[in-house]
Amino acid sequence: MASVPRPRRLIGLYSRRYSTTPTSSTRLNLPIDYKSTPLLHHTPSSLMNTLNLPPSSTSKSMNLYTAINGALRTALSKSNKVMLFGEDVAFGGVFRCSMDLQTEFGSERVFNTPLTEQGIIGFAIGAAAEGMKPVAEIQFADYVFPAFDQIVNEAAKFRYREGATGGSAGGLVIRMPCGAVGHGALYHSQSPEALFAHIPGLQVVMPRSPSQARGLLLSAIFESKNPVVFMEPKVLYRAAVEHVPSEYYTIPLNKAEVIKPGNDLTIISYGQPLYLCSAAIAAAEKALGASVELIDLRTIYPWDRQTVLDSVKRTGRAIVVHESMVNFGVGAEVAATIQTGAFLSLEAPVKRVAGWSTHTGLTYEKLILPDVARIYDAIKQTLEY
Amino acid sequence: MAFINPMDTPGIPTYRVMDSDGVLVGQSRSELGFTNEDALSWYRNMLTGWFFSLYYDGLRPDADGLLTSRYGQVSAGEEGISVGSAAALTPDDVVFAQYRETGVFQQRGFTLKQFMSQLFANANDNGRGRNMPVHYGCAYPKTVRITPSPTSPMLELEWTLTEAQHTISSTLATQIPQASGAAYALKLQALQNPDKPPAIVACYFGEGAASEGDFHAGLNIAATRSCPVVFICRNNGYAISTPTLEQYRGDGIASRGVGYGIDTIRVDGNDIFAVYETMKAARGLALSGGGRPVLIEAMSYRVSHHSTSDDSFAYRARVEVEDWKRRDNPIIRLRKWLENEGLWNEDLERQAREGIRRDVLREFGEAERAKKPAIRFAFEDVYEEVTEEVREQMGELKRILEEYPEEYDLRGFEGGIKGLDEK
């Protein structure tokens, strides 16, 4: 029998808006139209170029949670070392990512754990140490902190301290929904990627779309020999719909993607804010006549410094955009690296557009997180510097 | 309405096979499931462990920086628990230890050279000089069986067991939920590959570590997922300076097992026969019915200081310690039994002690003279591959070392500055 999710974590997502809403005069901060954004593959034709797939591949239109569900199904059928577990995973997960998987693969490989994040990750590390490929789910990134000791002191350091014995927790993947959804307030909105990116030994990955999620997740499970923290922007679970190849493919980790080429400015981002960047770029290119390059980091750590530096050396200007707080965030590392690696090419200070250094108070969300207007303004200021 | 008062419940009894004079209690010689050779090797291993603690205590004078840097937790008084329980394991069983389980490593074949290499963090150390002393790790001999499956060629049925005795980390209790996960993996592998010999995980920790959240998480998850794991709690009365009265108010650790739905037993940790028998039975129980966890609470007394950085007479009476050392001690108890059986005497004891002493000192000297690992090992194994960022940092370190050679003494490291070059 399917278990019932606990009320504290059951949220009527996508149903209510607490923050500011657009008015008839709003030009920039309009809701993202996922049906028309150039970031998603609305037809199969563009897929082959970006993912290096053979022309014969078939694809299916799906949203982010179905793409993840499909990737997990592929992983579970490809190897019986793959296990899937966490809180409420058995009935399909509170975000439906593990739907039907227990029925298909059995309760030995897809199962619920007790409600204990430190237990889930400790258990996963142990299984990985014996050669399994555990995919552990933390229900919300906001609840990963009880497992911080296991992730930082154990998973990340496992291979290093084992040394010549050859032991590691490399088979481990930790999935967690992250980011804001409009009304998640303090404990259903966080993106702790910068905290993980400070820890050598971890790979931190965040996809921006269904096709990317499938390729990156399969890569994390089968190609990475390191523990991977896989963060899924939950606002995209249902909203982002695109064509996803049906066959097996992977997207390399530690490799950024230039989504849109440009000459005057480079924007570096990852996850959901890329859609905001794309909208801001469209508005700025129209209004200011500039050409802006957009880069998706995809893997936040260890990150693709070369792609970013090559771009900034060409454009001379850079903005980093992320949802989590600006203080000591990913933007700080990216900006510092640009300052060191492309100093002579810089024509303006590197700008950071990120969440303000506060908590995500329920009713203030839209004022706290980066939006199209703030990114547009940053483009304008950086170009006019 | 009736509240359950824990004081009304009788305490969990302690299982014993021989008394403090080495005389069997309610059991006959023929019922003991081991040979004379087994008992003699256990005794030898415990004695070696005892020598280790003397060696550590001998290093306590802290005027010499080199000596004090050899920090480590010592196991004296608990040799019966570690040697006795490890003797009941098979080579396929996986061990997660805390740090006071030298005897487990000894019993499973960790050599003096390996111990000393780790303590001196030299080039022969499995841990590549990265861990503090006593954080042993061992690629223990284990079987890797490969069985191709004709029915499902899609499925990987090739298990690569990385090692069977995981490297110790300082973080207390983190190994407990890991042990549950490892045990679950062994259970799954056995289900998927019937040719794989059945194996359990043995997980060791002290009564202080049992206060951590990971103890709760690990036991609960082991129970709900029916994991073949044996948890062995060494209740030695102290966590550094904290006596058990400040650690818990229930009936020790054993009483908690029942609350998690786990088969539980309390055993006399100074009685190696009782520990061995208990572990052997627990192993069988853990593998029965598709897997189940077992909790063993082994009662002992930490006769040594907590570690070389600790002077335990600051919080307990010397007389109390001396009393335990003299009156009840796992080594003396087994020696008495061996003497009663005519297997041991004063001459053999003297020869054994001299032999062990000679071996320890020889390996000590060799380990001390050995080179440190190459300095590239400071950077390797963080990830499977060295990252582009770190390769750049290695280059930067090399530049600094070349620019300021007088600031760094690299003579002790294998290859000196060349040791930074990637293999």
Side-chain angles (χ1 to χ4, degrees), chain A residues 169-187:
Chain A
L172 172 64
V173 176
I174 305 168
R175 291 178 45 239
M176 62 186 85
C178 69
V181 285
H183 49 265
L186 281 69
Y187 306 110

Side-chain angles (χ1 to χ4, degrees), chain A residues 77-81 83 107-109 111-114 116 118-120 122-123 125-127 129-132 149-150 153-154 156 158-168 199-203 222 225-226 301-303 305 333, chain B residues 94 126-128 130-131 137-139 154-159 161-163 166-169 171 174 177-178 180-182 184-185 187-189 191-192 213-214 217 220-221 224-225 227 377-378 380-384 387-389 392:
Chain A
S77 8
K78 190 173 149 63
S79 165
N80 60 359
K81 291 181 182 178
M83 309 153 60
S107 59
E108 298 294 342
R109 288 173 64 206
F111 54 87
N112 287 339
T113 63
T116 166
Q118 64 194 96
I120 292 168
F123 187 88
I125 293 169
E130 298 317 313
M132 302 299 283
D149 186 36
Q150 286 286 354
N153 277 325
E154 298 292 315
F158 211 102
R159 181 194 304 277
Y160 191 74
R161 73 169 181 245
E162 287 280 0
T165 72
S168 88
I199 311 302
L202 300 177
Q203 279 180 307
F222 291 112
K225 300 278 171 24
N226 305 304
Y301 196 78
W303 63 294
R305 307 191 303 168
E333 178 70 21
Chain B
V94 174
N126 278 340
R128 293 186 167 150
R130 293 167 182 149
N131 307 307
C138 182
M154 271 293 284
L155 299 182
E156 295 175 57
L157 280 172
E158 186 177 317
W159 301 108
L161 282 193
T162 46
E163 38 133 25
H166 290 287
T167 299
I168 288 165
S169 70
T171 41
T174 48
Q178 291 173 12
S180 305
Y184 191 77
K187 163 174 150 166
L188 215 55
Q189 289 163 10
L191 277 173
Q192 291 169 352
D214 273 335
N220 196 33
I221 209 162
T224 59
R225 292 314 302 168
C227 303
F377 288 122
E380 292 186 353
D381 301 331
V382 174
Y383 294 94
E384 195 198 27
T387 63
E388 165 268 334
E389 180 190 13
E392 190 183 293

